[in-house]
Amino acid sequence: MFQEIKSKLNDMSTVKRLCERAEAHALQDHQREPGAEHFLLAALDLPDGTARLAFERAGVEPEALRAAIERQYGDALRSIGLRAEMPTGTPMSANAGIHQAAPSGREIMQALAAARKGHSPLLGAHVVGIVAGMSHGVAARALRALGVDIITLKSTADAIAEVGHAKTFDR
Amino acid sequence: MVDLRDITVPTDPDEALAAVVALRRLADSIERQAVRSALRQGWPWSRIAQALGITKQAAHKRLSDVAADNSST
């Protein structure tokens, strides 16, 4: 019982940290509402280290993700014959009040909620597994730009999350 | 100068939709830069809203943080 309450409190703290980091990454990207790509960056920031581990085991450099997100925008514009540099951004500040995510970000949160009914601890690898399962959108394109095999990344992240889950119950 | 006749829409929907997302992001960025410039030149929100074709309330709601940033620099 105590373990379950402790686990829930830890989860709430992790969710809060995940959302705050995702919002910070979105604002840095000049977007007010974090999308899946910002949640992926936020997962790499989580102290459990499992998101980074999933990337590394799948042969991907975690630090390269931000540049790949930016690069896929340029690639998309070039695909229609435009070559454009984004204007140097006017800083953006957060919405006052409640955190709001873009639809792809909400999809991540809903998937996390649905997948964690067994009260397993939330880990960065869970987020990576969910995002790697999304075949369209900025995050998917950024992962493709990195040359990631998303099937490998997803299975690696899911396996790491499962081991993390087991370790928690072993304690 | 970009000649819009040179723009080709990819036949692959994933590519075409990604281009739409990138164009929206570019437009948002240009909008914020233009609003910042307008505010620095003393434009009131009513004039900015009229130029953007939206209500003053909508302009202020979406872009008021540009004003905050503008006043702090």
Side-chain angles (χ1 to χ4, degrees), chain A residues 21-34:
Chain A
R21 290 302 303 149
E23 187 176 52
H25 282 297
L27 292 172
Q28 202 177 333
D29 199 16
H30 302 108
Q31 292 174 54
R32 196 162 278 123
E33 298 182 342

Side-chain angles (χ1 to χ4, degrees), chain B residues 3-68:
Chain B
D3 188 336
L4 292 182
R5 287 170 299 188
D6 292 340
I7 289 181
T8 50
V9 180
T11 51
D12 176 357
D14 195 45
E15 283 295 315
L17 293 168
V20 172
V21 172
L23 284 168
R24 283 193 183 131
R25 184 169 181 265
L26 181 62
D28 286 347
S29 183
I30 292 169
E31 180 184 59
R32 291 178 64 79
Q33 200 173 55
V35 168
R36 189 182 200 193
S37 173
L39 289 167
R40 281 183 168 167
Q41 291 176 41
W43 284 38
W45 279 103
S46 56
R47 193 175 168 196
I48 291 170
Q50 192 177 58
L52 285 172
I54 57 178
T55 66
K56 183 179 163 183
Q57 288 76 13
H60 202 263
K61 186 178 176 194
R62 197 168 77 215
L63 297 156
S64 59
D65 65 316
V66 178

Side-chain angles (χ1 to χ4, degrees), chain A residues 31-49:
Chain A
Q31 292 174 54
R32 196 162 278 123
E33 298 182 342
E37 65 277 22
H38 305 118
F39 277 92
L40 192 56
L41 287 165
L44 293 170
D45 293 341
L46 289 181
D48 64 65

